[in-house]
Amino acid sequence: MKKEIKISDYDIEAVMGRLLITGVIISGTLILIGGIYYLIQHGFSIPHFKTFRGEPSNLRSVSQIMEGVIHFDSLSIIQMGLLLLIATPVARVIFAVIGFFIEKDFLYVAISLIVLGIIAYSIFSVAAA
Amino acid sequence: MTVLLFSLIVLAGSFLAGLVGSLTGLGGGVVIIPLLTLGFGVDIHYAIGASLISVIATSSGAAAAYVKEGISNIRIGMFLEIATTLGAVGGATLAIYAPTHIIAVIFGFVLIFSAALSLKKKEEVLVQAKAGKFATALKLDSSYPTAKGEIKYSAQNIPGGFFMMAIAGLISGLLGIGSGALKVIAMDHFMRLPFKVSTTTSNFMIGVTAAASAGIYMQRGYINPGLSMPVVLGVIGGAFLGSKILVKSETKWLRILFAIIIVFLAFQMIYNGITGQI
């Protein structure tokens, strides 16, 4: 019985590992494409990272980033890649919820959901503030 | 300096940071933030945002390699992530209100602490104590394969480990680093888990913890695409190369060198923080 659970945990992890690598490759590619395009457009202007002003709102929310990507805006494409990268560990937690559910380990379904809830709070609630 | 030149230098620096970070196990974040703030005068909030994302990239990228070994414990990891994500949200919120020079000084002290820890000898002490009530209820016992066969282990002092993890999460959210060293302390020292289990489980947790604070950083506009682009690409490339060069026995001198560089950067951060130049 104990052995079965162990193998099952390992299977969940193996699929997760592939999922994460795929996520990193896709987001890395997006960042690279957006980055090259950004450098072609703005490569010879002067950077302004010295003082913090906060990014314009079109680079903060998911829907506006998506809209920028459709219009092939270089910074939006990079931001989309970064967003996808942030999503990879979140996907890992979602996957764990499903895995624990299949194993009928409801205590850990609950624990994973709590973690997911805290991350969701960080992504969605501050926007209103 | 043009954007192109700036991006190329940051790309090269981040590549080196990712490479050395993966070879020494210290992660790249500890070097990237001083590089950007001290080297280029980048606002520390932007530097933290870029570093956080690179932390997520290395954690997710390394996961596949760790999974093959089959020793990370996702139950312990998930349970402790309640503590780290709560801490991370707290740390990121604190970073919004804390003045930049105070963040710089705290960063410096955490750097010195990390450098000291990286030089400490890692010896495997196996405590095969019986599982307590807490550990049994939470199923925090397992076994892992070694050369001598399967070794059973169980988590001890769960409240202590949980509290330490909340601190690790807070530091991660406040400073934009993985704080893997603190996570390993919580599992290795407090909970008495085998060292290999601690390090691999810690990698799993680093990404999730950083994602919890990255959400807040993005909402607040701390994630700058033009700056994050060379940082993230550089770190991914460096960490990838680092995972291919397996020079296990010869990392000692590299670790010492890296620790010296980190201590030097730490004093720079503290000095610039106190004199208000950051």
Side-chain angles (χ1 to χ4, degrees):
Chain A
M1 192 63 212
K2 186 102 193 139
K3 196 89 190 162
E4 266 174 42
I5 290 171
K6 180 108 178 101
I7 290 167
S8 199
D9 270 3
Y10 181 77
D11 287 342
I12 294 172
E13 279 279 270
V15 179
M16 270 203 242
R18 279 197 291 273
L19 190 79
L20 291 173
I21 279 288
T22 315
V24 172
I25 292 172
I26 295 174
S27 48
T29 311
L30 270 178
I31 297 170
L32 187 67
I33 293 170
I36 292 171
Y37 187 45
Y38 165 70
L39 289 179
I40 291 172
Q41 283 183 316
H42 305 284
F44 295 100
S45 55
I46 305 298
H48 48 78
F49 306 120
K50 297 207 178 195
T51 47
F52 176 72
R53 293 167 311 157
E55 288 314 295
S57 64
N58 64 349
L59 291 175
R60 292 192 200 188
S61 76
V62 182
S63 56
Q64 281 170 308
I65 292 171
M66 292 280 249
E67 208 180 305
V69 172
I70 292 167
H71 292 108
F72 215 74
D73 171 50
S74 58
L75 288 179
S76 298
I77 297 171
I78 298 173
Q79 204 75 334
M80 191 68 215
L82 299 176
L83 203 63
L84 199 65
L85 213 45
I86 297 176
T88 52
V90 183
R92 197 174 187 183
V93 179
I94 294 173
F95 210 83
V97 174
I98 299 167
F100 286 130
F101 190 82
I102 294 169
E103 284 180 37
K104 293 199 169 55
D105 186 343
F106 298 112
L107 174 68
Y108 271 86
V109 171
I111 289 175
S112 311
L113 283 176
I114 293 173
V115 173
L116 209 56
I118 297 168
I119 299 175
Y121 168 83
S122 106
I123 295 177
F124 299 111
S125 81
V126 190
Chain B
M1 191 178 2
T2 63
V3 169
L4 183 65
L5 184 62
F6 174 82
S7 300
L8 288 176
I9 298 173
V10 172
L11 184 74
S14 303
F15 182 84
L16 266 179
L19 177 65
V20 181
S22 97
L23 287 177
T24 56
L26 265 169
V30 291
V31 190
I32 286 163
I33 293 171
L35 172 81
L36 292 177
T37 53
L38 300 171
F40 297 102
V42 171
D43 183 284
I44 199 165
H45 288 117
Y46 283 143
I48 291 173
S51 166
L52 257 184
I53 301 213
S54 73
V55 164
I56 297 176
T58 23
S59 163
S60 291
Y66 282 132
V67 166
K68 273 189 207 134
E69 295 177 48
I71 46 179
S72 68
N73 188 322
I74 51 171
R75 281 199 171 75
I76 291 179
M78 193 61 77
F79 170 67
L80 293 174
E81 266 160 17
I82 296 179
T84 60
T85 49
L86 277 177
V89 169
T93 312
L94 214 62
I96 295 167
Y97 299 106
T100 52
H101 65 273
I102 290 181
I103 298 179
V105 172
I106 298 174
F107 192 95
F109 282 109
V110 171
L111 277 192
I112 294 173
F113 185 68
S114 308
L117 276 177
S118 75
L119 293 179
K120 217 186 108 199
K121 251 208 186 132
K122 274 143 195 149
E123 55 207 62
E124 189 74 278
V125 195
L126 267 179
V127 184
Q128 287 185 299
K130 274 210 142 168
K133 241 194 275 173
F134 235 11
T136 312
L138 289 163
K139 294 177 223 164
L140 299 182
D141 51 332
S142 184
S143 60
Y144 80 108
T146 65
K148 285 174 259 166
E150 289 272 311
I151 289 188
K152 282 194 160 80
Y153 64 87
S154 178
Q156 310 292 311
N157 189 8
I158 292 163
F162 196 83
F163 177 73
M164 194 65 201
M165 280 297 176
I167 303 270
L170 186 88
I171 298 283
S172 170
L174 178 67
L175 305 177
I177 56 177
S179 68
L182 282 174
K183 290 189 174 79
V184 173
I185 291 183
M187 285 187 274
D188 180 48
H189 188 78
F190 282 76
M191 302 177 75
R192 296 265 159 216
L193 297 172
F195 190 72
K196 269 198 137 174
V197 175
S198 304
T199 42
T200 53
T201 307
S202 155
N203 175 68
F204 164 43
M205 300 176 63
I206 285 172
V208 177
T209 311
S213 38
I216 292 184
Y217 278 85
M218 186 167 268
Q219 296 286 348
R220 289 281 169 170
Y222 292 142
I223 311 278
N224 181 298
L227 177 69
S228 304
M229 178 261 295
V231 171
V232 172
L233 291 178
V235 170
I236 293 179
F240 181 75
L241 183 66
S243 69
K244 293 283 159 201
I245 320 171
L246 281 173
V247 274
K248 273 180 191 152
S249 54
E250 280 154 65
T251 52
K252 200 183 166 232
W253 65 267
L254 192 67
R255 216 180 279 230
I256 293 172
L257 180 72
F258 197 50
I260 294 170
I261 296 171
I262 287 177
V263 169
F264 172 74
L265 292 174
F267 280 112
Q268 288 280 314
M269 291 294 282
I270 294 170
Y271 175 78
N272 282 281
I274 290 172
T275 53
Q277 292 173 56
I278 248 174

